[in-house]
Amino acid sequence: MKTVLITGATGDVGTHLARELAGKYKLRLSDRRPLKAKNFVKADISKMADCLRITKGVDAIIHLGGYSVEGPWEGILQANIIGCYHMFEAARRNGVKRIVFPTSNHATGFYRRDEKIDHRVYPRPDSRYGVSKVFGEALGRLYADKYGMEFLMVRIGNVHPFPLDKRRLSIWISPRDIAQLVSIGIDRADLKFEVVYGVSGNKRSWYDNSNAERLGYRPQDDAESYAQEVLAKEKPSDNKIAETYQGGIFCTAEEVPNPAAPKKPVKKARRK
Ligand code: 15L
């Protein structure tokens, strides 16, 4: 059984993948936040020494660790630029060849919703976060070409048990579909460097995901089965830019609420 490291294991995607892939691989889970699990190792990817420690002896890495939305540059720089470099470089030094890198739909978020894009389009990031994902894709390309490492770049839409809103009807991916795609990235024998979209088989998809299909991806889910319910709840928006482009509010917002941010302590009411 292959030993697979998952960084960012306490996040949304990490939690789904740790559950879906348990039993298929020997998982080593890592994050800078604590997790109560026997196979957990705490690490801060902005520190090279931590990355060298957690990548030792693994067969493949699913590198989810990082800043997962648009936000302040300093946070993105440390986690997604410096952290990503540390992880790829630590993998190289430790002889780990295979990396699955979850890039994002926000690497191409400034493509219009009325066009279909494939894995060959030039990136059009919609945010500093999107730019940091393009950095990860480019760094992977370098490490594949220069050092013979192997990468599956998954431009993930949104991983959730069900699509959350109208935009997500086009970019949603179910936990079992992302697990299938990531497994291709870990197990496919002849992989060098590939870009695919991390979406289910959605009827309203904005992507031509034939590259994923060529690699063997057969999505089991389609957001369409939730469409009626989702559209009935959707409130009209007057943000024309967000409605025009695939990236939605990432195209206009300077900060998007970070689901991974530590929760602010609730202030207790003062007694009089
Ligand atoms: C992403 O890249 C984020 O990591 C995730 O939190 C969602 O915001 C998702 O994109 C999305 O576009 O819905």
Side-chain angles (χ1 to χ4, degrees):
M1 192 185 270
K2 287 179 184 157
T3 300
V4 175
L5 167 69
I6 303 183
T7 65
T10 72
D12 268 357
V13 183
T15 307
H16 286 304
L17 282 179
R19 184 193 63 246
E20 296 285 328
L21 300 177
K24 186 162 191 189
Y25 307 111
K26 187 167 178 257
L27 297 178
R28 181 183 297 171
L29 308 179
S30 181
D31 208 305
R32 63 178 193 169
R33 288 171 300 183
L35 181 73
K36 272 198 185 130
K38 264 201 230 134
N39 53 348
F40 178 73
V41 279
K42 201 165 183 297
D44 178 352
I45 59 164
S46 68
K47 296 185 183 130
M48 186 61 167
D50 281 19
C51 296
L52 285 166
R53 175 168 52 82
I54 59 175
T55 52
K56 206 166 266 173
V58 301
D59 298 299
I61 299 168
I62 307 168
H63 176 43
L64 297 166
Y67 206 94
S68 68
V69 283
E70 179 61 327
W73 174 242
E74 192 50 37
I76 290 171
L77 173 68
Q78 288 302 326
N80 295 11
I81 306 282
I82 296 174
C84 181
Y85 170 74
H86 284 168
M87 281 301 300
F88 290 8
E89 177 58 16
R92 184 186 74 80
R93 289 194 210 167
N94 278 328
V96 186
K97 256 187 125 176
R98 184 64 66 100
I99 298 183
V100 178
F101 182 66
T103 157
S104 170
N105 70 90
H106 298 291
T108 52
F110 258 120
Y111 280 96
R112 294 175 60 93
R113 294 184 182 194
D114 56 13
E115 57 190 325
K116 213 166 209 173
I117 58 172
D118 70 8
H119 58 289
R120 288 170 295 210
V121 296
Y122 195 78
R124 290 186 75 171
D126 56 24
S127 49
R128 293 175 290 275
Y129 165 67
V131 170
S132 74
K133 290 298 183 180
V134 177
F135 171 81
E137 292 186 15
L139 191 68
R141 183 80 256 192
L142 172 71
Y143 274 58
D145 288 338
K146 198 163 183 174
Y147 305 117
M149 286 171 65
E150 300 164 342
F151 289 85
L152 183 68
M153 297 287 168
V154 187
R155 290 181 180 159
I156 298 186
N158 185 241
V159 184
H160 200 74
F162 52 86
L164 290 162
D165 53 24
K166 189 178 80 184
R167 191 177 76 88
R168 266 67 167 251
L169 291 175
S170 301
I171 66 162
W172 175 67
I173 183 162
S174 66
R176 63 177 174 175
D177 282 346
I178 187 73
Q180 185 197 145
L181 204 42
V182 163
S183 296
I184 291 171
I186 293 168
D187 294 325
R188 200 177 152 108
D190 58 349
L191 194 95
K192 296 286 173 231
F193 178 92
E194 297 292 343
V195 176
V196 296
Y197 289 90
V199 291
S200 281
N202 305 326
K203 186 173 166 228
R204 297 170 195 239
S205 179
W206 296 318
Y207 312 112
D208 165 356
N209 211 8
S210 47
N211 201 35
E213 283 155 32
R214 188 183 61 81
L215 295 170
Y217 179 49
R218 300 287 176 271
Q220 291 180 272
D221 295 301
D222 178 347
E224 205 54 24
S225 35
Y226 300 89
Q228 244 187 339
E229 214 180 308
V230 167
L231 294 174
K233 277 194 258 158
E234 184 87 5
K235 293 194 185 94
S237 157
D238 52 11
N239 186 339
K240 281 228 173 70
I241 294 174
E243 289 297 308
T244 302
Y245 296 101
Q246 297 179 359
I249 58 158
F250 282 66
C251 297
T252 54
E254 291 303 329
E255 211 158 319
V256 171
N258 184 356
K263 307 270 174 288
K264 285 192 183 129
V266 184
K267 277 187 194 154
K268 280 192 187 154
R270 259 200 233 143
R271 286 189 193 185
K272 286 188 184 151

